[in-house]
Structures are given as C-alpha cells and as structure tokens.
Amino acid sequence: MTTPAYQQAVAAFTRLYRYQHLAAIAGWDQAAMMPPGGNEARGAAMAELQLLMHGLLTAPALQQALQAAAQESLSDAEQASLREMRRVWQSANLLPARLVEAKSLAGSRCEHAWREQRKANDWHGFLSNFREVVQLAREEAQLLADASGKSRYDALLDKYEPGMSSAELERIFGDVKNWLPGLIRQVMDKQAGETLIPAQGPFAVEQQRALGVEIMGLLGFDFNAGRLDVSVHPFCGGVAEDVRITTRYRDDDFMQSMMGIVHETGHARYEQRLPRALVQLPVGQARSMGIHESQSLAFEMQLGRSPAFLSLIAPLVKKHLGEQDAFDAANLARMYSRVRPGYIRVDADELTYPAHVILRFEIERALIEGDIEAEDIPALWDEKMQAYLGVDTRGNYRDGCLQDIHWTDGSFGYFPSYTLGAMYAAQYFATLRRQEPALDARIAAGELAPVFDWLDANIWSQASRWETGELVRRATGEALNPAHFRAHLEARYL
C-alpha cells in the first residue's frame, strides 16, 4: 500500500514532469520552428521554467516528504522510485537558483548564435558567448564535486551516465585507441579493392522525407504520439507521450538523412515504450544517456547498417528515390559500411565514429578541469583530428569544433555516452544472436519483432528500475564488456 509521504513526493514529481513537458516542447520549437527574432523572449521564458522546476525540487516540503518516505514501508519498486527521486532532488539542491537561470539564458544565447556562426565559420564570434557557458559549467561542476568528492568533470559526467568515472572511460577508450587505428587501416585496404557504385542525385527533400517516414513506420514509430521535422542538428526531443524527432537533408546525399532518421527513431521507440504509468517519475524515465544512445545505435549501427536490414529496405529506397544500380541491396550495404575518415561526427561511419567521441571527451575534460581554456580548443582539435583520423581541420571551424550543438548549452560530460551506447548496443545484439541464431534471416524477411520484443522486455519497459550496471547484467548476463564492440566491428568489416 502506497504511504502518505511517498505519495506527496510522487505528486511533486508529477508536477515537475508537467513543467518538463512544456520545456521540452518549447525547446523543440526553438530548434525546429521558431523564427530567429523570438529567441530572446524564448530564452527568458525557458529560464523562467527552469526556475519553476528548480523551486519545486528545492522546496522544504519535498525534502520532508523524501525523508519521511524513507521511513515508510515501501515495496521494492517504490524503494527504487524513491532512490531515483532522491538522486534528482540531491543534484538540484546543490545548485543555487541564480546559477540555474544564468545557465539557461547563456545556453539559449550561445546555441542560437551558433547556428549562424557555424555557417560563417566564425569561431571568434562564437567564443564571445561560449566563454560564459564554460565559466558557468565549471561553477556547476565545482559545486557538484564539492558535495560528491568527485573531480569536476566526473561530477558532470554523473549527470548523464550515473556511476561512470573518467578513470573508467580512460581505461575503456585507451584500449579502443590501441586497436582502432590498425582496424581502420586494415578495413580501408580491404575496401580499396571493392567496387562501389555511387548514388546519382539530386534527391528531392520530399522524396527523402517520404522514404524516412516509411522506414519509421517499419521500425514501429507511433505517429499518433510523435512527429518528424527538420533542424540544424538532428535530435530527439519532446516527451514520452509526444516524441519529436528531427533530421536534416542534403539534395546531393540521401544517406545522412535516412540513417539519421533510423538513429533518432531508436531514441523515440525507447521514449514511446517507457512504462506509461510511471513516466512522470524519474524511475519511469530513461536510465542514462549511454543507455539512450544504446537504443539509437542499436537501431542505426546494429540493425540499420546490417546487410539484412538494408536488403529489406532496398525496394523502399528505389520506390522513393528511383531505380538505379546503386540502390541494389549489396551496393547499399557497401555504401553504409564504407570506412572513410571525415570531419563530421554525425555523418561518420561506424568504425571512425569512436575517434570523434574520444577526441571530444579528452578536450571537454581538460576544459572543465581548467587544464585548457576555450581559446585553446581549435589547436587541440586540429592536433587530435590529425592524430586520430589523419584529417586536417586547420582554419575549418565549421566542420571542426563548431560542428556540434552539445557544448553550446553546457552539456559537458555527454559525449562519452555515444561510444558507451555503441558498446552496450553491440552487447545486446551479441546476446540476441545467441538467443536467436536465425536473427539476420528473420530481419531480411521483414520480421523485426525479435529485436523490438527483446529491447522492450530488457530495456524499454525497465526504465530506471535498476541502476545501469544491474540493468545491463540482467539484460545480457554480464556488466559492460567492450570486447563485444570490437568483435562486432571485426565481424562486420573484415
């Protein structure tokens, strides 16, 4: 039986979720629909909402309810829910309202200006807003670090991937840096002898959109509870009951929008399948950003780029984009597994992608710890892009350190989630293939239910019931094991 203090806490977090709903939709509109002149007013409104949410979490009544609920007789599920409420409450109570408001305003300003500054290759203009974003992120990191005993960067990392540390990331990524360059060279040498038929554009945006929408349907996206739009940087936003995904189109290249849609649909399916009775509580929401990225990368990398799935959708590509030899299943598979080091993370092939993430992890950690300043980023970026991918980015800020949106609003500690997500996803599919040896044949035949049913049972329906390590152990029988990621890459590319 649910007890009074626990019920009070549930009521407070239900109100919080309703505010978060409004903030999420206003944020989507800011990125996808809002005219440029609305940004200053929208930024102020978003900051006001952040203050409202912060006030709810820092109210003495909520602290009293959480303390009293800990003494009540709660079920195991309610204890897990209380654990997650306390985690959210604790973080909020370490930050003053002044900082919450300043961060929101600075992030809105920096992100909005970035859209034009990126186009103009204007790093110096970007710096004028970005310095404040960095200073506020460091202030937040220090407050969280003082309370937790963690380093400044680890305190921010914990917001996105609870329980993970930079020392553990250093170990995981250090291993990847040892074997990845050799594997990239080996695969590129192998692919040099393969014939690849390039797709002949242009590809009309309406046709690309229609293809994307049909693939979203195939992947189980619920259009009654979500929609597809366009933004400068693709993302998945909104709330579980109303998921907003975006992509971007180029008329000379259909590949990035199509696979971008597959990626964001993975995020969306997770949100749409969270336990609806609990989704207003932290325990009913996504476990971590690494687990969230594991869903998008399970869809994009494990499923979407597999020869089985590409053979399934080859007829759809021809239906929407026209008959050409490039769209034959075998050639599509070669196109989507082509390894070519490039500038842009979101367009990177599966093999070079981790290098983009490791580079950002190393730079943002140094930035938050105060080892470098914002002004130092381009030189460090150029050096690491050359070392890790052999790509020259000198003077090219647009395709270099200005390419991503995450630093503009102070989301430091987020980037490792991408490669952790790829590792979790590889581990899920290793488990799936053990349990379902004919998986690829079933995918090629259009039977995607084994993938969705497994993810639903093991990840989506579990939400934040378990802490990350326990969630992964229950799903796969072991804690995160990066060996599955390497094995997957070697099997697919060699």
Side-chain angles (χ1 to χ4, degrees):
M1 181 184 135
T2 305
T3 47
Y6 175 77
Q7 206 48 58
Q8 279 173 36
V10 166
F13 274 90
T14 302
R15 283 185 68 204
L16 176 69
Y17 181 68
R18 289 169 185 156
Y19 288 146
Q20 287 169 335
H21 181 147
L22 295 176
I25 299 301
W28 162 83
D29 178 75
Q30 192 175 25
M33 294 286 174
M34 186 190 75
N39 194 65
E40 195 174 332
R42 179 62 54 85
M46 297 281 276
E48 195 67 40
L49 251 181
Q50 291 298 324
L51 283 173
L52 264 176
M53 293 190 280
H54 186 259
L56 244 180
L57 285 168
T58 54
L62 179 57
Q63 179 177 6
Q64 289 156 14
L66 291 172
Q67 284 172 342
Q71 308 308 313
E72 291 175 335
S73 179
L74 302 179
S75 68
D76 287 351
E78 287 168 340
Q79 283 173 4
S81 178
L82 184 62
R83 175 197 74 214
E84 292 303 304
M85 285 193 275
R86 284 189 65 84
R87 190 166 64 80
V88 174
W89 170 83
Q90 214 157 15
S91 295
N93 277 270
L94 294 171
L95 305 179
R98 167 199 57 77
L99 179 59
V100 171
E101 182 181 33
K103 270 194 72 198
S104 182
L105 289 168
S108 274
R109 215 168 22 246
C110 187
E111 188 271 332
H112 187 69
W114 162 82
R115 297 179 208 182
E116 294 306 317
Q117 289 158 350
R118 183 184 179 219
K119 281 185 210 163
N121 200 39
D122 182 9
W123 168 256
H124 295 290
F126 175 74
L127 258 186
S128 62
N129 288 317
F130 185 57
R131 284 193 192 94
E132 185 186 3
V133 170
V134 172
Q135 180 256 312
L136 292 168
R138 284 175 173 171
E139 190 180 340
E140 177 188 14
Q142 192 63 61
L143 289 167
L144 297 175
D146 289 345
S148 65
K150 301 178 192 292
S151 71
R152 290 203 296 201
Y153 183 72
D154 281 15
L156 294 184
L157 178 63
D158 201 65
K159 288 169 53 179
Y160 303 103
E161 198 60 16
M164 183 54 70
S165 69
S166 51
E168 179 68 359
L169 286 174
E170 189 77 51
R171 186 186 67 76
I172 292 170
F173 291 166
D175 181 53
V176 172
K177 281 163 71 173
N178 282 335
W179 56 259
L180 188 64
L183 183 58
I184 290 171
R185 280 194 302 274
Q186 221 179 329
V187 172
M188 286 177 71
D189 289 347
K190 174 177 176 277
Q191 290 183 348
E194 293 175 358
T195 305
L196 180 73
I197 305 166
Q200 300 301 317
F203 308 102
V205 166
E206 312 82 70
Q207 293 170 316
Q208 291 189 59
R209 181 187 158 79
L211 170 63
V213 165
E214 190 160 356
I215 290 172
M216 286 167 72
L218 188 67
L219 292 171
F221 184 88
D222 179 1
F223 285 95
N224 194 45
R227 53 181 286 146
L228 170 68
D229 292 282
V230 176
S231 68
V232 178
H233 192 89
F235 70 92
C236 175
V239 288
E241 302 90 337
D242 181 5
V243 179
R244 307 296 176 95
I245 73 173
T246 68
T247 191
R248 60 185 176 201
Y249 299 101
R250 278 175 46 178
D251 62 8
D252 64 338
D253 176 16
F254 76 95
M255 290 178 64
Q256 68 166 27
S257 75
M258 186 178 100
M259 213 44 81
I261 285 171
V262 173
H263 178 101
E264 300 305 339
T265 302
H267 282 306
R269 286 298 315 273
Y270 186 20
E271 289 291 326
Q272 290 182 333
R273 293 296 300 163
L274 288 167
R276 205 46 64 86
L278 292 172
V279 82
Q280 78 281 15
L281 301 177
V283 77
Q285 293 160 17
R287 174 63 218 153
S288 73
M289 285 322 301
I291 296 298
H292 227 311
E293 293 301 340
S294 77
Q295 303 313 294
S296 57
L297 295 170
F299 272 54
E300 181 195 351
M301 299 301 188
Q302 295 294 323
L303 176 63
R305 292 177 190 251
S306 70
F309 183 78
L310 290 165
S311 73
L312 172 65
I313 65 166
L316 301 183
V317 177
K318 290 178 179 177
K319 171 182 152 185
H320 290 285
L321 303 184
E323 285 282 344
Q324 51 176 286
D325 292 344
F327 299 153
D328 289 340
N331 194 67
L332 267 182
R334 282 193 288 273
M335 286 165 72
Y336 273 111
S337 60
R338 198 69 171 177
V339 173
R340 195 183 291 111
Y343 297 113
I344 306 293
R345 174 186 62 86
V346 295
D347 299 337
D349 59 81
E350 187 177 19
L351 213 50
T352 60
Y353 194 103
H356 289 270
V357 173
I358 292 168
L359 169 150
R360 287 158 170 80
F361 158 66
E362 291 174 347
I363 292 175
E364 70 177 14
R365 183 177 56 168
L367 184 66
I368 293 302
E369 296 294 0
D371 300 331
I372 63 168
E373 293 304 325
E375 292 81 353
D376 303 322
I377 290 175
L380 206 49
W381 187 285
D382 296 341
E383 179 193 314
K384 288 178 183 288
M385 281 296 281
Q386 188 60 246
Y388 298 169
L389 290 168
V391 172
D392 185 355
T393 52
R394 286 172 299 177
N396 183 357
Y397 307 113
R398 178 177 50 246
D399 297 328
C401 48
L402 283 182
Q403 68 180 263
D404 275 309
I405 201 169
H406 301 305
W407 285 346
T408 65
D409 69 353
S411 297
F412 299 104
Y414 186 104
F415 275 113
S417 306
Y418 288 110
T419 290
L420 290 172
M423 290 174 173
Y424 290 131
Q427 193 160 324
Y428 304 154
F429 270 73
T431 307
L432 245 169
R433 286 198 168 86
R434 277 199 310 275
Q435 295 171 1
E436 183 61 64
L439 183 67
D440 291 294
R442 293 187 68 180
I443 290 168
E447 294 178 47
L448 304 181
V451 175
F452 304 150
D453 290 349
W454 190 92
L455 289 171
D456 201 9
N458 291 284
I459 308 296
W460 301 343
S461 64
Q462 301 304 305
S464 287
R465 171 72 174 82
W466 313 104
E467 293 185 273
T468 311
E470 181 62 16
L471 177 74
V472 174
R473 263 192 298 276
R474 284 171 171 266
T476 66
E478 59 178 332
L480 175 63
N481 180 355
H484 293 295
F485 180 57
R486 182 177 182 178
H488 156 70
L489 294 176
E490 289 174 346
R492 177 170 286 175
Y493 291 89
L494 294 179

